[in-house]
Each structure stands twice: as structure tokens, then as C-alpha cells.
Amino acid sequence: MIYFYDGTKEAFLTAFLLAWGDREAVFASQNAQLSLGQTCTFVRTDAAAAKRAEQRFLSFDKESMRDLGTMLRSGDANRDAVALAYFRLLAEKKRPVRGMLADDAVRAADECMRRVGLEIHRFHGFLRFMESASGALYAPFSPDNDICDLVAPHFRARLGGYPFVIHDVKRKKAAVCDGKTIFVAPLERAEVALSADETEWQSLWKTYYASVNIPSRERLKQMRGYMPVRYWKHLTEFR
Amino acid sequence: MFDICKEARYNRGMISEEKLSLLTESAKYDVSCSSSGSGRKNEGGIGNGYASGCCHSFTPDGRCISLLKILLSNDCVFDCKYCVNRCSADAPRATATPEEICELTMDFYKRNYIEGLFLSSAVHRSPDHTMEQLLLTVKKLRTEYRFFGYIHVKAIPYADERLVNETARYADRMSYNVELPSEKSLKLLAPQKSKASVLLPISKLAREKEIFRAENRKGKFLPAGQTTQMIVGASPEPDGQILRLSQRLYRGAGLKRVYYSSYVPVVRDPLLPDVPGGALREHRLYQADWLLRFYGFSAEEIVEDDGNLSLELDPKCAWALRNMHLFPVEVNRAPLELLLRVPGIGARSAYKILEARQYASLDFVHLKKMRVVLKRARHFITANGKFYGAKSDAAVRGLLTAGERAQNAEQLSLFAAENAAAALTGEL
Ligand code: SF4
């Protein structure tokens, strides 16, 4: 049976209970390919059941809900299967399993979470803000994983009272911070009127970028390894 | 909410493109770009520390941009033979005002271009004058602009220690350049500098930090410590001598990092070699340095006093081949210290093995799945009693040397760019 759920933690936990005993269960929350002959069900979240499952998992492993949250942010096509296998193992062992790195399910989950964590870390560095006429800062980006609100707290702490918007242009949503509170809102397109000297600062940054490079030691492969080309579109230094 | 915005908008001076180019052009050869080691909090302004460091961009040479590296001035009264800014050189000169540096830092930082400032300078007018200007700049940044991001300041040799100590109250990290690994070479190539002018202030500053900590004084004093930099290949010191100096600096003065910068001949002088220092040698020194800091090796184990590191083999392989009687070790039982000494097993893999072997007895299939690289390691380990390495020591040597040759071109200078990714690949 294929269990379609909406990608939230609660729906996952509801589906997990429904699929208990179904060894053939497939979880799907993104676009899944239906193969002939498979039946499917659309999981409706049952808040009470989800809460029960959550309590159980937390009693096995204090960090389990944080891990689930992280896995469900992954943009990886396999993430539903990875999360299902990992939580089945956890339910079976009834104790933390994260150290069992010789086990396929644990390693897959570990990899999946590591990639989400790595991308958050990367965007702490690779995000580029532009200053709007009102003084608010605006940063468009297009991450692999659904992380705009997970990136935002770092900038709230750092930017003091500045209001800012971190716009995931692919998922058409944004993390908005008024200087204190962060909330997530759908955002299709943003029209930003730039501040008077924004373009000049951008051009100073480009000058800096060009002048610190040592052309005689070109190592493009290494550069692309650290900073994948798919991220370049939103980087000021390449625009 | 907008008070800070207004406050920061001093607009007393946006630096010109030309000045920016001149002052960053020669700062770029400074190797350190690390922004790690400081947990400074944002105290009602802009900025904070990022303990693990953070890369904001990468240039086509594969290096990370973390800090805005800039000189306050490139107008030098010293005459170091290897330097483009030496007073006898005919070069365009520029000096920035503290405000220009502050504005630039704030506006770059706010846009998330940089993680902080790396402020250095040529000796402009006099050591004390230069140090005063550096102090003024960082003090302004911290107190007027309320900047709490990362600041690394280069200390000026011969500057009054009171100025240096006060600067340390505002900076996260400071560094004196050791420049050249011996007194003799300094005399020859940097006539105004001496071992005493760099090594002494390094230990003085370390002592000052101790006192600060012991007396529990308020505020901060170089939370990210001191580092230094040496030029390799401009003078004849062997690797053994260089690594012993590094070891002394790590153990004696508590330095966080020693950077090695392979000599680049930008200046022609009969006293200087015409050829660059060689990226491979620099790479080997970083590998050896890594062994000193994270793998429990001593300089004496790595290379003899007057010897050089093997260019053919990485220093860990070379050490293992000299100590074949210790191998193979069983991965399911070997203590961490020994696992770390296995060629090919880096810190990450060693910890993974420690963790995983609590749950299952590991065989080679497990190791492979855990992404432990076995190409070199297999000659030095058994897993569940099985051994898949070459039969004789000579065969091991042959295989390792051949593999290393293929890899060298790829690997060069992974260690120069200090960042999270490089820390992961720093596995030997
Ligand atoms: S003191 Fe520094 S800037 Fe001046 S010549 Fe020597 S190395 Fe160059």
C-alpha cells in the first residue's frame, strides 16, 4: 500500500501507525510514481494518534522528533522511505539507534540529516542580502531542502534589530523577521526597491572578490566542490 | 527597530574602488581566513561569532572567503626583500581611514558577504603609529558601530605592548608573523625584523592572556587566540626545523594555528630564489601540522631535525612505513590513538568506527558502507581478523607511492582553505 501524507510530522506519525504491520508500505509526500497494481491511501492526520506515537518515540530516543523534523525537510526523493525505515528500526529496538552505522537504515537517515544540516550551514555563508529603500534586508535563494525558517534564526541573532526576508523562490515561501519574531509565509514574487547606495556596495564586493583571487593558482574544480554551481544564481559576486 | 540602521549610517566615507583594490591586493597572500573559535555574542548591535567558522564564498583559486582581508596601509617604512610593499619598491601607495574600514566592514557584513574583518597593515610611518591606527579602528568598530562579528588583527612588530594589549581587548584573534623560520634568514631578508621582534611578543601576548584569565577580568581578551604565518621556500630551513618551531609555538605559546605560505616570487632579488616554493611541500607541511595538532604525533616522530618531509608519501604513510611492527591493528579493538595513526583513517572515520563497533563486530563490508576509505588503510588493519593488505612491506610501499602520485594533483592545498569542508577532508 502507498500512504500519501502531507509531509508534516503529525501526518507522518499517523501514517506510521496505519502502516504498522504492512511490511510492503511505501510512504509518499512529494510526487510519487504510481506503479500498476499498487493501492494507495491518503492519510488524514489524526492529532491524538500522532501525539501518542510521538510520546512513544520520545521515550525510545529524546532526539527522535528533532530528527524526524530534519528528515522531512529534505528535498531528497527518497526521504519518505528513509524516514520510514529509520523509525521502524527505532520502534523495533526501543532505544536510540543512531550509532548503529553498520545498519543501512541508520546510515541512510544519517546521510539525509547530514545533508540538510550541511545546507543550512552553507547558507549561513552563501545567503546574500540586499538592502531595500526602507532599510529592510532581502535575500532570495533556492535551496535543495526546505530550510528557509531553519536558516533564519542565525540571522535574527546576528542582525540585531534589522527586519529581513529570506525568500525560497523555488518553493515560493519566505521566512520573514520583523527584528524579533520569525514567521513563514507564502511568497510568489517580491518587488524590492533598493536603497540609494546598494548597487555601489555590490560593486565594491565584486571588486573585492576579483582582487583576492590568485589567478595563477586556478582550481575551479575545488571551487565548485565547495560552492556548487546551482547556488551561484543568487550570489552577488556572480551577477 | 530602525534605530540601529540610522546609527550605522554614518556615511562618513565609502572607500573608493581603487583604494579597495590596492589595499586588498597584497593582503590576499595572507593565508589565514579562519573565522572560527569565537563565541562572541551580539550585545545589541550587529554581528556575533560563529564558533565553527563560516565560508561566505570561494574564489576561482579554490580558496574560501570568510573575512574581509584588508590592509590599513600598504605604505611601508620597512624593507623586507620578498614583499611588494617594501619601502624601496616603486608601487602605488594607499592608506585608509579607520572610518572607511568600519563602513566597509559594516556594510559587507550586513549583506552577509563576510564573517568579519581581518585587518592588517604595512608599517606606516612607525610601528607605534600603525598599531595606534589599528587599535583606533577596531575600538571604533566595537564601541561606536557596535559590531560584534569576528575581528582578526595583525600585530605590528616593535609596537608598544600597551597598544597591542589594548587591541587584544577588542579583537577575537591576533597574529604576529614569524615570517621566516630562522634568525639568519630574517637578518638576510627582513633586515628590520629579528626572531626576538616576533617570538618574544608572541609569548608576551600569550602571558597577558593568561593573566587576564587568571584575574577573571571583565570583557574579552582574544577569545580565538593567536596564530602566525611562515613563508616556506624563500630561505633554506628544512621541514624538520620548521615543524619543531611550530611544535614549540603550539605547546609553549598555545598558538591556535601556524600557517605556511609557499613562497611566491613577486619580487626579484639576488638573495631570493627565482622559483616558487612548491605547492606540494606546503601541502606536506599542512599535513604534518595536522598530525601535530589532532593526531597526537610529535615533530620528532614525523621528521628528523635536519630532514625534509617526503614529497612522495604523506607524512602519516611515511611514519607508518617506518613503524610496520605496530601493524596491522584490529579495527574492532584498537584504541582511538592507534586508529588515528592508520594511514587513510581520518578523525571522522575513527570516531565512526568507535561508535559503530559498540553495536556490531565490523568487517570490511561494514567499513566500506560506512565510507571508510580502505585504499591505504587495508594494508594496516584487520577487520574481524581478516587482512586484505599487500603481503610484504615493500609491496605496501610500492602501492602507496603509486596511489599517492595519482592523487597529489587533486589534493594539493586542500589544507590551505580552512573551512568546515576542508576539516572533513583533512583525513590522512
Ligand atoms: S613590514 Fe610587512 S609590509 Fe612592510 S615590507 Fe615587511 S613584510 Fe612588507
Side-chain angles (χ1 to χ4, degrees), chain A residues 128 158 203 207-209 211 237, chain B residues 17 24 47 56-58 115:
Chain A
R128 295 286 178 270
R158 171 162 288 197
S203 111
T207 304
Y208 180 70
Y209 182 83
S211 88
E237 51 273 37
Chain B
E17 304 243 347
T24 51
H56 286 248
S57 190
F58 288 86
E115 194 56 31

Side-chain angles (χ1 to χ4, degrees), chain A residues 87-103:
Chain A
F87 278 85
R88 285 208 149 150
L89 184 69
L90 183 57
E92 182 195 313
K93 298 283 182 202
K94 299 190 171 30
R95 61 180 164 82
V97 294
R98 98 173 38 77
M100 297 171 58
L101 288 167
D103 186 286

Side-chain angles (χ1 to χ4, degrees), chain A residues 3-8 11-12 15 27-30 41 43 72 79-80:
Chain A
Y3 298 80
F4 281 98
Y5 72 108
D6 64 9
T8 60
F12 177 89
F27 275 26
S29 60
Q30 299 153 312
T41 178
V43 176
L72 294 180
R79 68 120 198 262
D80 298 304

Side-chain angles (χ1 to χ4, degrees), chain B residues 76-80 82-87 121-123 179 193:
Chain B
C76 202
V77 293
F78 280 20
D79 202 26
C80 309
Y82 46 82
C83 176
V84 281
N85 296 326
R86 70 197 187 285
C87 61
S121 184
V123 185
E179 307 276 25
K193 296 177 184 166

Side-chain angles (χ1 to χ4, degrees), chain A residues 22-73:
Chain A
D22 174 2
R23 294 318 286 183
E24 245 81 273
V26 173
F27 275 26
S29 60
Q30 299 153 312
N31 309 325
Q33 281 201 350
L34 277 179
S35 57
L36 230 54
Q38 271 181 313
T39 48
C40 57
T41 178
F42 291 85
V43 176
R44 183 167 328 129
T45 304
D46 176 343
K51 192 80 210 157
R52 270 200 325 274
E54 176 173 338
Q55 296 300 343
R56 282 295 291 200
F57 279 125
L58 286 173
S59 75
F60 302 152
D61 177 356
K62 286 201 301 293
E63 311 289 352
S64 57
M65 287 303 111
R66 188 203 59 191
D67 289 352
L68 178 59
T70 310
M71 278 184 239
L72 294 180
R73 295 311 190 96

Side-chain angles (χ1 to χ4, degrees), chain A residues 108-125:
Chain A
D110 183 62
E111 273 289 302
C112 170
M113 292 189 283
R114 220 172 47 84
R115 274 199 293 272
V116 175
L118 174 67
E119 195 178 44
I120 293 172
H121 175 71
R122 275 179 157 165
F123 274 111
H124 286 163

Side-chain angles (χ1 to χ4, degrees), chain B residues 150-372:
Chain B
Y150 194 89
I151 300 180
H152 180 156
V153 180
K154 190 62 71 68
I156 305 297
Y158 300 111
D160 189 311
E161 66 185 276
R162 278 165 307 184
L163 292 170
V164 176
N165 290 340
E166 199 185 343
T167 309
R169 304 294 312 275
Y170 300 104
D172 292 289
R173 172 171 279 182
M174 288 180 79
S175 56
Y176 280 98
N177 278 1
V178 169
E179 307 276 25
L180 300 167
S182 78
E183 181 79 38
K184 208 169 124 210
S185 298
L186 276 173
K187 262 219 182 80
L188 198 63
L189 299 175
Q192 283 92 345
K193 296 177 184 166
S194 68
K195 227 170 162 178
S197 81
V198 284
L199 292 184
L200 213 59
I202 289 177
S203 20
K204 267 195 187 155
L205 197 54
R207 207 163 334 124
E208 200 64 30
K209 181 172 166 145
E210 276 311 310
I211 295 171
F212 188 87
R213 207 182 296 155
E215 293 182 355
N216 241 328
R217 280 195 249 162
K218 261 180 56 189
K220 287 194 185 308
F221 194 99
L222 301 184
Q226 283 189 78
T227 59
T228 191
Q229 168 173 329
M230 274 184 243
I231 304 168
V232 175
S235 52
E237 294 79 10
D239 296 340
Q241 190 178 343
I242 294 172
L243 286 171
R244 271 167 193 70
L245 178 55
S246 301
Q247 178 167 284
R248 235 178 82 202
L249 290 165
Y250 287 134
R251 291 184 184 169
L255 250 66
K256 289 284 192 269
R257 243 353 256 275
V258 175
Y259 292 92
Y260 309 90
S261 121
S262 166
Y263 171 67
V264 184
V266 277
V267 174
R268 280 192 158 276
D269 189 290
L271 291 173
L272 288 168
D274 289 331
V275 288
L280 186 52
R281 181 176 182 205
E282 181 187 295
H283 180 54
R284 290 284 181 246
L285 280 167
Y286 275 111
Q287 290 181 313
D289 187 87
W290 206 272
L291 296 182
L292 285 183
R293 288 185 301 142
F294 299 122
Y295 289 76
F297 283 83
S298 68
E300 292 72 18
E301 284 179 291
I302 300 170
V303 60
E304 306 101 68
D305 230 351
D306 51 359
N308 278 311
L309 293 166
S310 152
L311 291 182
E312 281 206 314
L313 284 166
D314 77 59
K316 199 169 164 188
C317 275
W319 173 84
L321 284 170
R322 288 195 304 272
N323 292 277
M324 283 308 269
H325 58 283
L326 299 172
F327 298 104
V329 297
E330 168 58 44
V331 287
N332 287 293
R333 279 192 308 273
L336 177 64
E337 306 80 67
L338 207 51
L339 279 180
L340 285 172
R341 292 191 168 221
V342 173
I345 295 189
R348 226 173 93 83
S349 295
Y351 284 106
K352 270 200 277 190
I353 291 172
L354 281 197
E355 176 94 57
R357 74 186 187 187
Q358 295 175 34
Y359 299 91
S361 185
L362 306 174
D363 56 28
F364 274 95
V365 179
H366 288 137
L367 293 176
K368 207 166 201 147
K369 281 191 177 169
M370 288 158 61
R371 302 224 179 132
V372 175

